Amino acid sequence: MDERSSDTLQKIQQAALDEFLEKGFLGASLRQIVKHAGVTTGAFYGYFSSKEALFASIVEPHAAALMGRYMEAHCSFAQRPEEEQAANMTVDSDACIHWMVDYICQHREPVKLLLCGAEGTSYENFVHRMVEVEVESTLQYLETLRRLGRRIPELNQSLCHIIASGMLNGLFEIVVHDMPREQAMQDVEQLQAFYTAGWLKLMEP
């Protein structure tokens, strides 16, 4: 791609980012995007096949980065020897959450678009997919503790889903409310402490 083509692509994506952030995917006008980018409709289709393809070009790198790091943390924890998991319950998750806060603060606009403007696209259930991963990992961890002889009460999958949903949606409030990094990090650390204490209480025999 030559320099001129790269410049045109950037103009289209910036115009799209502004339009999508203001109106969401469903409300965004391709006509307005093309107009604000200063290109013709024909030129647009030389880069993207559709409005959704354009949307994906903006959010996919960030969806992949966030989900990839999240999955990495869960896999790292699951691969620990079972007898070491309880002592390291928060190690991998803390590192992951800190990374995610930093990443979000460095890429605020496209991440906000991913989380708040994706209705009508394949990304609209992004947080829900994270919640499902969290629930599955939680249930596996509880079974591990039982195999090790811990008397863990039965916890419904529905409860695990509610807790995971609350935690992850709480984390992403830093996007919704455009929090400064220092405040975001402090709030998220305290949120983690709150949920960790809650889990420990629920796992008492």
Side-chain angles (χ1 to χ4, degrees):
M1 181 179 294
D2 61 31
E3 184 176 346
R4 185 175 177 181
S5 297
S6 177
D7 183 58
T8 301
L9 175 61
Q10 290 175 11
K11 287 180 179 178
I12 293 172
Q13 289 181 315
Q14 184 58 56
L17 179 59
D18 295 341
E19 178 79 0
F20 287 139
L21 282 172
E22 180 183 352
K23 302 174 183 175
F25 173 79
L26 291 176
S29 164
L30 191 55
R31 179 178 297 178
Q32 288 299 312
I33 291 170
V34 169
K35 177 182 176 182
H36 290 140
V39 301
T40 66
T41 302
F44 168 84
Y45 284 112
Y47 291 90
F48 300 103
S49 60
S50 64
K51 185 171 76 167
E52 182 156 7
L54 172 57
F55 185 93
S57 77
I58 297 171
V59 303
E60 174 56 29
H62 306 287
L66 289 167
M67 185 63 80
R69 183 66 182 84
Y70 191 68
M71 293 299 298
E72 179 186 327
H74 282 278
C75 290
S76 176
F77 180 77
Q79 289 169 2
R80 289 183 182 275
E82 290 189 346
E83 61 274 11
E84 296 179 9
Q85 289 187 11
N88 291 279
M89 186 176 75
T90 62
V91 173
D92 297 306
S93 63
D94 284 357
C96 176
I97 294 298
H98 280 77
W99 181 92
M100 290 176 72
V101 171
D102 277 332
Y103 188 92
I104 290 167
C105 291
Q106 291 167 17
H107 305 89
R108 288 182 183 274
E109 288 191 335
V111 173
K112 190 170 188 176
L113 180 58
L114 169 66
L115 299 173
C116 304
E119 183 181 359
T121 76
S122 60
Y123 297 93
E124 66 178 319
N125 293 316
F126 178 78
V127 177
H128 180 71
R129 290 196 292 272
M130 278 191 165
V131 170
E132 290 181 328
V133 171
E134 186 72 29
V135 171
E136 182 179 353
S137 295
T138 298
L139 293 174
Q140 289 176 354
Y141 175 58
L142 295 176
E143 286 304 310
T144 295
L145 293 178
R146 292 185 183 108
R147 283 197 299 273
L148 293 171
R150 292 275 296 274
R151 294 174 57 199
I152 304 295
E154 289 296 326
L155 300 176
N156 290 333
Q157 182 171 343
S158 58
L159 173 62
C160 294
H161 187 280
I162 291 169
I163 295 171
S165 181
M167 174 64 191
L168 285 164
N169 281 288
L171 165 65
F172 290 127
E173 283 289 294
I174 68 177
V175 180
V176 176
H177 297 293
D178 298 315
M179 293 181 187
R181 182 191 175 282
E182 289 75 15
Q183 179 188 344
M185 195 66 77
Q186 178 181 342
D187 287 355
V188 168
E189 287 175 352
Q190 292 176 332
L191 181 69
Q192 285 180 279
F194 175 84
Y195 275 95
T196 298
W199 274 118
L200 291 174
K201 180 65 177 178
L202 286 175
M203 289 190 291
E204 290 179 356

